[in-house]
Amino acid sequence: MSEALVATEVPEAAASGTSGARQFWRRLRAQRAAMVAAAVVALLVLVALAAPLLTALEGQDPTTYHPSLVDSARGGVPIGSFGGISGDHWLGVEPQTGRDLFARLVYGARVSLGVALGATAVQVLLGVVVGVAAALGNRWVDQLLSRITDIIVAMPLMIMALALLAIVPENFPRPILVALIIGFVAWGTIGKIARAQTLTLKELDYVSAARLSGWGIWRIARRELLPGLAAPVITYAALMVPANISIEASLSFLGVGVKPPTPSWGQMLSSADVWYQAAPQYLLLPAAALFATVLALTVLGDGVRTALDPRAASRLRVGTGRRQESKAGESKAGESKAGEPKAGESKAGEPRAGEVGESRAGGTETGKEATS
Protein backbone atom coordinates (compact mmCIF):
# COMPACT_ATOMS: atom_id res chain seq x y z
CA MET A 1 0.00 0.00 0.00
CA SER A 2 2.82 2.38 0.85
CA GLU A 3 4.47 1.60 -2.53
CA ALA A 4 1.24 2.55 -4.29
CA LEU A 5 0.98 5.69 -2.21
CA VAL A 6 4.51 6.77 -3.13
CA ALA A 7 3.96 5.84 -6.78
CA THR A 8 0.80 7.94 -7.02
CA GLU A 9 2.53 10.88 -5.37
CA VAL A 10 5.31 11.04 -8.00
CA PRO A 11 3.20 12.44 -10.89
CA GLU A 12 1.52 14.86 -8.50
CA ALA A 13 4.92 16.04 -7.26
CA ALA A 14 6.14 16.49 -10.84
CA ALA A 15 3.03 18.51 -11.73
CA SER A 16 3.34 20.62 -8.61
CA GLY A 17 7.02 21.21 -9.41
CA THR A 18 6.12 22.44 -12.91
CA SER A 19 3.37 24.72 -11.61
CA GLY A 20 5.70 25.95 -8.87
CA ALA A 21 8.32 26.90 -11.46
CA ARG A 22 5.70 28.81 -13.45
CA GLN A 23 4.51 30.65 -10.35
CA PHE A 24 8.09 31.51 -9.46
CA TRP A 25 8.76 32.89 -12.96
CA ARG A 26 5.52 34.90 -12.91
CA ARG A 27 6.31 36.42 -9.51
CA LEU A 28 9.86 37.23 -10.58
CA ARG A 29 8.69 38.92 -13.80
CA ALA A 30 6.30 41.08 -11.77
CA GLN A 31 9.31 42.67 -10.04
CA ARG A 32 10.78 45.21 -12.42
CA ALA A 33 13.87 45.88 -10.33
CA ALA A 34 14.72 42.18 -10.22
CA MET A 35 14.31 41.83 -13.99
CA VAL A 36 16.59 44.83 -14.63
CA ALA A 37 19.13 43.34 -12.24
CA ALA A 38 18.88 39.97 -14.03
CA ALA A 39 19.58 41.71 -17.35
CA VAL A 40 22.65 43.43 -15.86
CA VAL A 41 23.93 40.14 -14.41
CA ALA A 42 23.37 38.37 -17.73
CA LEU A 43 25.31 41.12 -19.52
CA LEU A 44 28.20 40.85 -17.06
CA VAL A 45 28.33 37.07 -17.44
CA LEU A 46 28.26 37.42 -21.22
CA VAL A 47 31.13 39.93 -21.11
CA ALA A 48 33.13 37.63 -18.83
CA LEU A 49 32.61 34.62 -21.08
CA ALA A 50 33.38 36.62 -24.24
CA ALA A 51 36.49 38.29 -22.79
CA PRO A 52 38.92 36.61 -25.25
CA LEU A 53 36.69 37.56 -28.18
CA LEU A 54 36.30 41.18 -27.00
CA THR A 55 40.03 41.67 -26.43
CA ALA A 56 40.81 40.08 -29.80
CA LEU A 57 38.37 42.51 -31.38
CA GLU A 58 40.23 45.36 -29.70
CA GLY A 59 43.59 43.83 -30.65
CA GLN A 60 44.99 43.81 -27.10
CA ASP A 61 45.56 41.41 -24.21
CA PRO A 62 45.65 41.95 -20.41
CA THR A 63 49.35 41.16 -19.83
CA THR A 64 51.32 42.94 -22.58
CA TYR A 65 53.31 45.99 -21.41
CA HIS A 66 53.36 49.19 -23.48
CA PRO A 67 56.09 51.39 -21.93
CA SER A 68 55.87 53.83 -24.83
CA LEU A 69 52.32 54.80 -23.80
CA VAL A 70 53.29 56.10 -20.33
CA ASP A 71 55.37 59.14 -19.39
CA SER A 72 58.25 57.84 -17.28
CA ALA A 73 59.34 61.42 -16.47
CA ARG A 74 56.05 61.99 -14.65
CA GLY A 75 56.11 58.69 -12.77
CA GLY A 76 54.34 56.55 -15.37
CA VAL A 77 51.24 58.63 -16.07
CA PRO A 78 49.49 57.55 -19.31
CA ILE A 79 50.24 59.74 -22.31
CA GLY A 80 47.26 61.40 -23.91
CA SER A 81 43.88 62.62 -22.73
CA PHE A 82 41.56 60.59 -20.47
CA GLY A 83 44.26 58.10 -19.53
CA GLY A 84 45.41 57.31 -23.05
CA ILE A 85 42.02 56.45 -24.56
CA SER A 86 42.36 55.81 -28.30
CA GLY A 87 41.14 53.53 -31.06
CA ASP A 88 43.65 50.90 -29.99
CA HIS A 89 42.93 51.23 -26.26
CA TRP A 90 39.21 51.75 -25.69
CA LEU A 91 39.44 52.61 -21.97
CA GLY A 92 43.03 53.81 -21.84
CA VAL A 93 46.08 52.11 -20.37
CA GLU A 94 47.30 51.24 -16.90
CA PRO A 95 49.74 53.69 -15.24
CA GLN A 96 53.42 52.64 -15.09
CA THR A 97 52.94 49.45 -17.13
CA GLY A 98 50.85 50.63 -20.09
CA ARG A 99 48.73 47.45 -20.06
CA ASP A 100 45.35 47.78 -21.74
CA LEU A 101 42.69 48.73 -19.20
CA PHE A 102 39.71 47.34 -21.12
CA ALA A 103 41.34 43.91 -21.44
CA ARG A 104 42.19 43.80 -17.75
CA LEU A 105 38.68 44.90 -16.82
CA VAL A 106 36.87 42.19 -18.81
CA TYR A 107 39.32 39.50 -17.74
CA GLY A 108 38.93 40.72 -14.16
CA ALA A 109 35.21 40.07 -14.50
CA ARG A 110 35.98 36.43 -15.28
CA VAL A 111 38.10 36.10 -12.15
CA SER A 112 35.72 37.92 -9.80
CA LEU A 113 32.56 36.14 -11.01
CA GLY A 114 34.33 32.79 -11.26
CA VAL A 115 35.69 32.98 -7.72
CA ALA A 116 32.31 34.09 -6.32
CA LEU A 117 30.35 31.36 -8.09
CA GLY A 118 32.92 28.69 -7.20
CA ALA A 119 32.91 29.71 -3.54
CA THR A 120 29.11 29.70 -3.51
CA ALA A 121 29.03 26.18 -4.98
CA VAL A 122 31.43 24.93 -2.28
CA GLN A 123 29.37 26.61 0.45
CA VAL A 124 26.11 25.09 -0.82
CA LEU A 125 27.63 21.61 -1.19
CA LEU A 126 29.21 21.52 2.26
CA GLY A 127 26.29 23.21 3.99
CA VAL A 128 23.63 20.93 2.51
CA VAL A 129 25.63 17.74 3.15
CA VAL A 130 26.44 18.62 6.76
CA GLY A 131 22.95 19.99 7.49
CA VAL A 132 21.12 16.97 6.07
CA ALA A 133 23.51 14.54 7.79
CA ALA A 134 23.00 16.29 11.12
CA ALA A 135 19.20 16.21 10.79
CA LEU A 136 19.03 12.54 9.73
CA GLY A 137 21.73 11.20 12.05
CA ASN A 138 21.39 10.07 15.63
CA ARG A 139 21.71 12.34 18.62
CA TRP A 140 25.51 12.10 18.82
CA VAL A 141 25.99 12.81 15.12
CA ASP A 142 23.62 15.75 15.31
CA GLN A 143 25.42 17.20 18.34
CA LEU A 144 28.87 16.78 16.75
CA LEU A 145 27.96 18.31 13.38
CA SER A 146 25.95 21.11 15.01
CA ARG A 147 28.92 22.11 17.19
CA ILE A 148 31.23 22.07 14.16
CA THR A 149 28.75 24.29 12.32
CA ASP A 150 28.62 26.69 15.28
CA ILE A 151 32.42 26.95 15.25
CA ILE A 152 32.43 27.70 11.51
CA VAL A 153 29.78 30.39 11.95
CA ALA A 154 31.66 31.99 14.86
CA MET A 155 35.03 32.11 13.10
CA PRO A 156 36.00 35.53 11.64
CA LEU A 157 35.98 35.01 7.89
CA MET A 158 38.60 37.56 6.83
CA ILE A 159 41.12 36.56 9.52
CA MET A 160 40.84 32.86 8.68
CA ALA A 161 41.10 33.55 4.96
CA LEU A 162 44.17 35.74 5.46
CA ALA A 163 45.83 33.06 7.60
CA LEU A 164 45.13 30.23 5.16
CA LEU A 165 46.16 32.21 2.09
CA ALA A 166 49.45 33.13 3.76
CA ILE A 167 50.56 29.50 4.33
CA VAL A 168 49.58 27.98 0.96
CA PRO A 169 52.42 27.71 -1.60
CA GLU A 170 52.58 30.41 -4.26
CA ASN A 171 52.49 27.93 -7.15
CA PHE A 172 48.91 26.88 -6.33
CA PRO A 173 46.40 28.51 -8.75
CA ARG A 174 45.31 31.59 -6.85
CA PRO A 175 41.70 32.01 -8.09
CA ILE A 176 40.91 28.37 -7.28
CA LEU A 177 42.57 28.73 -3.88
CA VAL A 178 40.58 31.85 -3.01
CA ALA A 179 37.29 30.18 -4.03
CA LEU A 180 38.06 27.07 -1.97
CA ILE A 181 39.06 29.02 1.14
CA ILE A 182 35.98 31.26 1.02
CA GLY A 183 33.80 28.19 0.52
CA PHE A 184 35.37 26.15 3.33
CA VAL A 185 35.28 29.02 5.84
CA ALA A 186 31.76 30.37 5.19
CA TRP A 187 29.38 27.41 4.79
CA GLY A 188 28.06 27.42 8.37
CA THR A 189 24.92 29.51 7.86
CA ILE A 190 23.62 27.46 4.96
CA GLY A 191 24.35 24.32 7.00
CA LYS A 192 22.06 25.59 9.75
CA ILE A 193 19.36 26.41 7.19
CA ALA A 194 19.59 22.92 5.64
CA ARG A 195 19.42 21.21 9.04
CA ALA A 196 16.37 23.18 10.20
CA GLN A 197 14.50 22.60 6.93
CA THR A 198 15.33 18.88 6.92
CA LEU A 199 14.03 18.48 10.49
CA THR A 200 10.74 19.98 9.33
CA LEU A 201 10.47 17.95 6.12
CA LYS A 202 11.21 14.54 7.62
CA GLU A 203 8.05 14.74 9.76
CA LEU A 204 5.76 15.11 6.74
CA ASP A 205 3.46 12.30 5.53
CA TYR A 206 5.12 11.60 2.18
CA VAL A 207 8.51 11.12 3.87
CA SER A 208 6.91 8.74 6.36
CA ALA A 209 5.33 6.81 3.47
CA ALA A 210 8.71 6.50 1.76
CA ARG A 211 10.24 5.26 5.02
CA LEU A 212 7.48 2.64 5.45
CA SER A 213 8.00 1.44 1.89
CA GLY A 214 11.52 0.33 2.81
CA TRP A 215 13.58 3.14 1.26
CA GLY A 216 17.00 3.77 2.75
CA ILE A 217 17.82 6.99 4.53
CA TRP A 218 20.02 8.38 1.76
CA ARG A 219 17.48 7.49 -0.92
CA ILE A 220 14.84 9.36 1.06
CA ALA A 221 17.22 12.30 1.38
CA ARG A 222 17.93 12.30 -2.37
CA ARG A 223 14.39 11.73 -3.63
CA GLU A 224 12.22 13.41 -1.00
CA LEU A 225 14.21 15.87 1.11
CA LEU A 226 16.56 17.56 -1.35
CA PRO A 227 13.71 18.89 -3.57
CA GLY A 228 12.18 20.48 -0.48
CA LEU A 229 15.50 22.17 0.31
CA ALA A 230 15.71 23.81 -3.12
CA ALA A 231 13.79 27.00 -2.31
CA PRO A 232 15.65 28.10 0.87
CA VAL A 233 19.04 26.99 -0.49
CA ILE A 234 18.60 28.82 -3.82
CA THR A 235 17.40 31.90 -1.98
CA TYR A 236 20.40 32.05 0.32
CA ALA A 237 22.85 31.13 -2.47
CA ALA A 238 21.61 34.04 -4.58
CA LEU A 239 22.44 36.38 -1.70
CA MET A 240 25.85 34.78 -1.07
CA VAL A 241 27.24 35.50 -4.56
CA PRO A 242 27.56 39.30 -4.12
CA ALA A 243 29.00 38.80 -0.64
CA ASN A 244 31.64 36.45 -2.06
CA ILE A 245 32.54 38.97 -4.77
CA SER A 246 33.12 41.58 -2.07
CA ILE A 247 35.25 39.14 -0.05
CA GLU A 248 37.40 38.30 -3.09
CA ALA A 249 37.85 41.98 -3.86
CA SER A 250 38.82 42.66 -0.24
CA LEU A 251 41.40 39.85 -0.19
CA SER A 252 42.90 41.00 -3.49
CA PHE A 253 42.93 44.58 -2.25
CA LEU A 254 44.90 43.45 0.82
CA GLY A 255 47.41 41.69 -1.44
CA VAL A 256 46.66 38.08 -0.43
CA GLY A 257 44.06 37.24 -3.06
CA VAL A 258 44.62 36.93 -6.79
CA LYS A 259 48.24 37.75 -7.65
CA PRO A 260 49.55 39.65 -10.70
CA PRO A 261 49.64 39.32 -13.64
CA THR A 262 46.17 37.71 -13.33
CA PRO A 263 43.72 40.63 -13.42
CA SER A 264 41.12 41.08 -10.70
CA TRP A 265 38.91 44.04 -9.81
CA GLY A 266 40.11 44.06 -6.21
CA GLN A 267 43.73 43.87 -7.32
CA MET A 268 43.18 46.77 -9.73
CA LEU A 269 41.69 48.84 -6.90
CA SER A 270 44.69 48.01 -4.72
CA SER A 271 47.06 49.29 -7.40
CA ALA A 272 44.96 52.34 -8.27
CA ASP A 273 44.72 53.96 -4.83
CA VAL A 274 47.72 56.21 -5.57
CA TRP A 275 46.59 57.17 -9.10
CA TYR A 276 43.15 58.64 -8.40
CA GLN A 277 44.35 62.16 -9.31
CA ALA A 278 46.69 61.49 -12.24
CA ALA A 279 44.59 58.70 -13.82
CA PRO A 280 41.13 58.65 -12.19
CA GLN A 281 39.65 56.17 -14.69
CA TYR A 282 42.07 53.52 -13.39
CA LEU A 283 40.27 53.72 -10.03
CA LEU A 284 36.74 54.54 -11.17
CA LEU A 285 36.31 51.80 -13.78
CA PRO A 286 36.94 48.73 -11.55
CA ALA A 287 35.10 50.42 -8.67
CA ALA A 288 32.05 51.08 -10.88
CA ALA A 289 32.13 47.51 -12.24
CA LEU A 290 32.34 46.07 -8.74
CA PHE A 291 29.56 48.32 -7.45
CA ALA A 292 27.23 47.52 -10.39
CA THR A 293 27.85 43.77 -10.07
CA VAL A 294 27.27 43.62 -6.31
CA LEU A 295 24.17 45.83 -6.53
CA ALA A 296 22.64 43.84 -9.41
CA LEU A 297 23.27 40.50 -7.70
CA THR A 298 21.86 41.80 -4.41
CA VAL A 299 18.67 43.08 -6.07
CA LEU A 300 18.32 39.82 -8.03
CA GLY A 301 18.82 37.77 -4.88
CA ASP A 302 16.16 39.77 -3.08
CA GLY A 303 13.80 39.24 -6.04
CA VAL A 304 14.43 35.49 -5.99
CA ARG A 305 13.78 35.40 -2.24
CA THR A 306 10.49 37.27 -2.64
CA ALA A 307 9.39 35.11 -5.60
CA LEU A 308 10.09 31.87 -3.74
CA ASP A 309 8.41 33.08 -0.55
CA PRO A 310 5.60 35.55 -1.40
CA ARG A 311 4.78 35.98 2.28
CA ALA A 312 8.18 37.58 2.92
CA ALA A 313 8.13 41.30 2.21
CA SER A 314 10.81 42.61 -0.12
CA ARG A 315 13.50 44.82 1.34
CA LEU A 316 13.25 47.01 -1.79
CA ARG A 317 10.47 49.51 -2.39
CA VAL A 318 11.10 50.35 -6.05
CA GLY A 319 9.99 48.08 -8.85
CA THR A 320 8.79 45.18 -6.69
CA GLY A 321 5.06 45.70 -6.87
CA ARG A 322 4.81 46.38 -3.12
CA ARG A 323 3.81 49.99 -3.63
CA GLN A 324 0.87 48.97 -5.83
CA GLU A 325 -0.19 46.37 -3.26
CA SER A 326 -0.07 48.91 -0.45
CA LYS A 327 -2.11 51.38 -2.51
CA ALA A 328 -4.68 48.69 -3.26
CA GLY A 329 -4.88 47.87 0.44
CA GLU A 330 -5.34 51.52 1.32
CA SER A 331 -8.13 51.94 -1.25
CA LYS A 332 -9.95 48.87 0.10
CA ALA A 333 -9.64 50.21 3.63
CA GLY A 334 -11.01 53.57 2.46
CA GLU A 335 -13.99 51.89 0.81
CA SER A 336 -14.78 49.91 3.96
CA LYS A 337 -14.57 53.04 6.07
CA ALA A 338 -16.81 54.92 3.62
CA GLY A 339 -19.56 52.38 4.23
CA GLU A 340 -19.49 52.97 7.98
CA PRO A 341 -21.57 55.85 9.47
CA LYS A 342 -19.71 58.80 10.91
CA ALA A 343 -20.03 59.88 14.54
CA GLY A 344 -23.45 61.40 15.17
CA GLU A 345 -24.96 59.78 12.06
CA SER A 346 -27.05 56.63 11.79
CA LYS A 347 -27.67 54.04 9.16
CA ALA A 348 -30.68 54.31 6.90
CA GLY A 349 -33.88 53.33 8.66
CA GLU A 350 -32.44 53.72 12.17
CA PRO A 351 -33.30 56.73 14.41
CA ARG A 352 -30.56 58.89 15.79
CA ALA A 353 -29.64 58.75 19.45
CA GLY A 354 -31.18 62.21 20.08
CA GLU A 355 -34.39 61.23 18.39
CA VAL A 356 -34.65 58.09 20.52
CA GLY A 357 -34.18 60.16 23.68
CA GLU A 358 -36.77 62.71 22.60
CA SER A 359 -39.30 60.03 21.74
CA ARG A 360 -38.75 58.34 25.08
CA ALA A 361 -39.16 61.65 26.94
CA GLY A 362 -42.33 62.42 24.97
CA GLY A 363 -43.74 58.99 25.78
CA THR A 364 -43.09 59.50 29.49
CA GLU A 365 -44.84 62.86 29.54
CA THR A 366 -47.83 61.40 27.70
CA GLY A 367 -48.08 58.59 30.23
CA LYS A 368 -48.04 61.05 33.12
CA GLU A 369 -50.83 63.11 31.56
CA ALA A 370 -52.93 59.99 31.02
CA THR A 371 -52.41 58.93 34.65
CA SER A 372 -53.45 62.30 35.95
Side-chain angles (χ1 to χ4, degrees):
M1 182 181 297
S2 59
E3 291 281 359
L5 177 60
V6 175
T8 55
E9 286 182 354
V10 171
E12 296 178 0
S16 62
T18 304
S19 61
R22 291 177 181 175
Q23 290 178 0
F24 166 76
W25 177 242
R26 186 176 66 251
R27 292 167 185 160
L28 188 63
R29 284 188 304 175
Q31 304 180 59
R32 291 171 294 176
M35 295 306 296
V36 172
V40 173
V41 171
L43 179 61
L44 290 170
V45 172
L46 182 62
V47 168
L49 294 176
L53 180 62
L54 294 174
T55 53
L57 185 63
E58 187 194 22
Q60 304 295 333
D61 63 82
T63 58
T64 302
Y65 286 64
H66 300 91
S68 61
L69 298 178
V70 295
D71 188 356
S72 58
R74 299 173 55 196
V77 177
I79 299 173
S81 58
F82 301 105
I85 293 178
S86 63
D88 295 330
H89 302 279
W90 296 347
L91 296 178
V93 296
E94 188 180 54
Q96 289 187 326
T97 63
R99 292 180 293 192
D100 185 74
L101 197 54
F102 174 78
R104 294 187 63 78
L105 196 66
V106 295
Y107 271 92
R110 302 185 86 183
V111 173
S112 296
L113 290 175
V115 168
L117 293 175
T120 303
V122 174
Q123 290 169 339
V124 169
L125 179 62
L126 287 176
V128 169
V129 170
V130 174
V132 172
L136 297 180
N138 56 33
R139 185 167 63 91
W140 296 106
V141 172
D142 187 16
Q143 289 292 327
L144 176 63
L145 294 179
S146 297
R147 297 296 78 77
I148 293 175
T149 304
D150 293 337
I151 293 173
I152 293 295
V153 172
M155 282 194 308
L157 173 60
M158 293 299 296
I159 295 177
M160 290 300 301
L162 288 171
L164 293 174
L165 286 168
I167 63 176
V168 177
E170 293 290 336
N171 56 359
F172 195 91
R174 212 65 179 180
I176 298 176
L177 176 63
V178 173
L180 290 176
I181 288 179
I182 295 175
F184 277 107
V185 175
W187 57 266
T189 303
I190 199 167
K192 286 181 170 292
I193 293 174
R195 177 183 176 274
Q197 188 71 11
T198 304
L199 289 174
T200 302
L201 291 175
K202 75 176 187 177
E203 302 297 331
L204 299 180
D205 292 340
Y206 67 90
V207 178
S208 302
R211 190 184 300 114
L212 291 174
S213 65
W215 287 13
I217 185 172
W218 294 113
R219 186 181 180 186
I220 293 174
R222 187 179 68 254
R223 297 286 299 275
E224 304 294 346
L225 298 179
L226 289 182
L229 292 175
V233 168
I234 290 174
T235 299
Y236 192 73
L239 297 174
M240 284 194 300
V241 175
N244 291 335
I245 289 181
S246 301
I247 294 170
E248 184 276 327
S250 301
L251 293 174
S252 298
F253 182 82
L254 295 173
V256 295
V258 179
K259 298 290 185 179
T262 304
S264 168
W265 291 344
Q267 179 199 114
M268 294 173 69
L269 289 173
S270 176
S271 304
D273 58 349
V274 297
W275 297 99
Y276 63 93
Q277 289 183 342
Q281 82 285 350
Y282 186 39
L283 175 66
L284 295 177
L285 287 174
L290 185 62
F291 174 78
T293 303
V294 172
L295 179 62
L297 287 169
T298 303
V299 174
L300 180 60
D302 183 82
V304 170
R305 181 183 66 88
T306 307
L308 288 173
D309 187 7
R311 295 170 298 177
S314 174
R315 292 173 295 181
L316 303 173
R317 302 299 300 176
V318 180
T320 57
R322 298 289 174 181
R323 183 173 296 178
Q324 288 80 358
E325 293 178 5
S326 61
K327 287 184 178 180
E330 291 175 0
S331 63
K332 289 182 180 179
E335 291 176 0
S336 61
K337 288 182 178 180
E340 297 179 358
K342 296 181 180 179
E345 295 183 357
S346 60
K347 295 182 181 179
E350 295 183 0
R352 296 183 181 180
E355 294 178 354
V356 173
E358 292 176 358
S359 62
R360 288 180 178 176
T364 304
E365 293 176 357
T366 308
K368 289 180 179 179
E369 292 177 357
T371 304
S372 60

